Each structure stands twice: as structure tokens, then as C-alpha cells.
Amino acid sequence: MRYRTLGRTGIKVSPYALGALMLATSIGNPDPDDSVRIIHKALDAGINFIDTADVYGDSEEVVGKALQGRRDNVVLATKVSRPMGEDPNQQGASRRWITTAVENSLRRLRTDHLDLYQIHRPDPTTDIEETLSALTDLIRSGKVRAIGSSAMPASDIIEAQWGAERRGLERLHTEQPPYSLLNRGIEREVLPITQRYGMGTLVWGPLGQGLLTGRVRKGRQNELRRAGLVRHLNDERRLDVVEQFVSLAEEAGLPLTHLATAFAIAHPGVTSAIVGPRTMSHLDDLLAGADVTLTDDILDRIDEIVPPGTDVGTLDQAYVPPPLQDPNLRRRPISERTAA
């Protein structure tokens, strides 16, 4: 396994990061001991980067159990800000919640520090400098080594960088956006911005959250348990494009999963792609594609199918800014809508 530097932190990480969402018993693999075996096999294969989150059910507990005796050789990342209960203060990126949530994550992960602590989704209700101040204190206390964001728009990344410089705070070291053969929108602004500021970029959903596994095909039934829960797995536009990638993978003599993961780590702005196997066979398949190199001809064909900087549809879990969710934030009062 080759290793890449995580932005300008000096931390060396594998091009594949093990995402632990599907290793939670309530969401993915129902057998925690099997999940531990999956984690150990990934580590044995050279993957040294594990990404989880407080909101992933019991994922942190499973990861913590698996890392007993192996913690020092793992770059461990988790996330905060998604709702953890009905209490409105058990979510977001306020100092109040961050200082509580980090202790909970450390306890569940059975460790005294996190190598990377990330804001899971932007929190428009909290000043970014308030968030950075709390995260800076965690770094200075030794509980956190580096800090990052996830699904943050390019303009917010810039604001956070400027705020850190203005206040003398720790800046965001990483960003975790969605990226795949189907969703290339981050190539337009997010990746150039993270490269400009020397941030590490950890992309999630390189398999299109199931669409690029080869198990979801147009006009066929699929066994994915979440197929009836999320819209993007039934989006006809996306399914049409998937068929084109199936054909391209066959021409290249590659499984679709290998084409997808190799594409995700081929961009110079991408540090690691987060792969989220649920079973040992899923992990075996992903590891088998670790040495795949996509030629310029194949990358050119990919560009023809989905042009750079464009998305085919929208992922259900993608961040949607408040003005796009609430009509009142993008409409003047009726009395103010005329020019005269």
C-alpha cells in the first residue's frame, strides 16, 4: 500500500480509508465480531486510516474494540454535529456540544486522542469562528491532532480559512466531500480550493452509495436493503449512466467497483477515498482493485460520459444549504417583489 500525506499535516494515510458506517450492527453488519475481523483484515492489508462518526449507531464502539492493541498504528477519524438525540443542543457545531461530544467519542473509541475530528455537516446556526475556537482548544489539549469538515461548500471553506487566520485559530486541515463517477461537482470549486489551501481531501461515496457496485442495474430488481429508502438508487438518469460505466468497465476488463475506486483516487486533489464494506467479501473485492491504474484513454472515456465538474442527480445525503430548503429564505415578501 502506498501512502499519501494528509494535506499539510505530515500524517501519512492510505489511499483507501476504511469507512465504518456499515460496520455498525444497527445499520450494516449485524455481527460485531465479524466487523472486528473486517477491520483487522483491512489493517493487515495496509489500510491505516479509519473513518467513523458518533451518529453511526454503535460504529465507534465496534471500532474501539477492534483497535485494542493496534491503536498506535492507525490514523483514527470521527465526526460530530449530526443529531444524537431529541435535545436540540445534542447536535451542531457549538462549543457546548463539541466539548461534550468529543468526550463521548473518546470513551466509545477507547482512546485518549483522535487523529482527525471533523464537523459532519455545516452548522449555519453557529459562527464558524466559534467552532474553530472550540476545535483549536481540543488540539491544544492534546485530545485532537487535526480538524476537518465534511460536505462544506467552497465558500464556507474559504470563510473558515480566513476566520482562522484572522483570529489566530487552527485552520481546517481536511474536507470530506462526496465524489464518484456520478458526482463530480466538487471538481469545479471544492477540490481547487482544498488544493489551494493545502487541505487533505477524503472523498465519500466512491461507489455512488451502492449504484456503482454492479448490483444495481436498470430494469432489474436489486437486493440492496436501502433501495426502497433512498431516491438516488432509483433515479432513471443515474441508472442510464451506470449502464454506460458497466460497458466501459467490461471493455477495460475491470469490475465496476475497481473502475469506480481507481477513478476516485486518481485526482491529484484527492488524498483518500472512503470505502465502506459491510462484509468480508466486499472488502476482498475492494482490496483486489488496489493496484488498478486507469489509463488516460479510460479517463477520457469517463469524461465523455460524465463531464468534469458535473453531477448526475443528487445524493440523498448531500448537504443542502438552508436557502435551497426554505422558500422564505429566497423570496422577498410579496409587497417587495415588484420593481415599481
Side-chain angles (χ1 to χ4, degrees):
M1 188 73 66
R2 296 178 178 178
Y3 296 91
R4 300 172 174 182
T5 304
L6 185 61
R8 294 177 184 159
T9 65
I11 300 171
K12 308 301 181 183
V13 296
S14 48
Y16 288 171
L18 182 66
L21 171 62
M22 288 291 105
L23 302 181
T25 58
S26 60
I27 301 172
N29 193 319
D31 182 352
D33 290 332
D34 189 42
S35 292
V36 168
R37 288 189 289 271
I38 291 171
I39 293 171
H40 287 171
K41 183 163 188 176
L43 297 180
D44 292 341
I47 292 177
N48 74 335
F49 196 3
I50 298 179
D51 177 79
T52 184
D54 56 6
V55 77
Y56 292 169
D58 62 351
S59 172
E60 288 184 325
E61 286 95 336
V62 172
V63 171
K65 178 181 178 181
L67 295 188
Q68 293 303 287
R70 306 188 68 163
R71 173 67 182 92
D72 290 345
N73 301 116
V74 174
V75 178
L76 180 59
T78 193
K79 299 184 284 293
V80 61
S81 84
R82 301 296 291 272
M84 289 292 288
E86 296 183 2
D87 187 329
N89 285 311
Q90 291 184 331
Q91 61 183 290
S94 68
R95 172 180 288 274
R96 184 181 191 273
W97 177 234
I98 286 174
T99 54
T100 298
V102 72
E103 298 295 342
N104 293 337
S105 287
L106 290 171
R107 172 177 46 80
R108 288 188 290 260
L109 288 163
R110 305 187 192 184
T111 186
D112 63 357
H113 73 280
L114 301 169
D115 296 295
L116 176 62
Y117 199 38
Q118 304 156 102
I119 302 302
H120 205 157
R121 289 292 184 274
D123 178 8
T125 68
T126 302
D127 190 310
I128 187 60
E129 294 180 11
E130 176 76 4
T131 299
L132 290 174
S133 177
L135 295 174
T136 296
D137 286 347
L138 293 181
I139 289 179
R140 292 173 180 170
S141 72
K143 293 178 180 179
V144 170
R145 303 293 192 254
I147 56 175
S149 55
S150 177
M152 184 172 277
S155 58
D156 288 4
I157 295 174
I158 294 173
E159 181 183 358
Q161 294 289 333
W162 287 356
E165 181 177 358
R166 184 169 56 246
R167 291 275 305 279
L169 301 171
E170 290 285 342
R171 66 188 186 89
L172 296 176
H173 301 108
T174 65
E175 161 60 12
Q176 188 179 132
Y179 186 54
S180 73
L181 291 167
L182 299 170
N183 288 90
R184 302 181 60 178
I186 65 169
E187 294 174 343
R188 186 173 297 274
E189 291 188 337
V190 171
L191 283 176
I193 290 298
T194 58
Q195 288 176 280
R196 181 182 306 172
Y197 285 102
M199 300 172 66
T201 305
L202 324 168
V203 297
W204 57 269
L207 297 182
Q209 290 187 299
L211 270 177
L212 298 170
T213 61
R215 297 158 61 198
V216 181
R217 302 289 299 277
K218 186 173 183 179
R220 302 184 191 177
Q221 290 290 104
N222 72 77
E223 75 278 17
L224 291 182
R225 64 179 67 186
R226 60 184 184 276
L229 303 176
V230 292
R231 295 185 300 275
H232 77 266
L233 289 175
N234 301 291
D235 185 325
E236 289 296 321
R237 294 173 301 164
R238 291 168 71 80
L239 290 171
D240 286 338
V241 175
V242 168
E243 292 302 311
Q244 296 181 61
F245 283 128
V246 168
S247 298
L248 177 59
E250 291 174 349
E251 291 178 30
L254 295 172
L256 182 57
T257 51
H258 295 182
L259 178 72
T261 50
F263 168 79
I265 63 173
H267 193 289
V270 172
T271 309
S272 299
I274 300 172
V275 295
R278 183 174 58 85
T279 67
M280 191 69 78
S281 62
H282 293 166
L283 176 62
D284 288 339
D285 173 62
L286 293 166
L287 291 175
D291 61 352
V292 170
T293 299
L294 300 184
T295 65
D296 287 344
D297 288 342
I298 294 176
L299 292 173
D300 288 341
R301 291 283 302 279
I302 291 172
D303 288 349
E304 292 172 1
I305 296 172
V306 178
T310 65
D311 292 325
V312 182
T314 303
L315 291 172
D316 291 68
Q317 295 180 3
Y319 172 69
V320 181
L324 301 186
Q325 300 181 58
D326 184 354
N328 293 321
L329 297 179
R330 60 177 186 270
R331 297 175 184 174
R332 291 179 179 271
I334 292 178
S335 61
E336 300 178 9
R337 293 179 190 173
T338 60

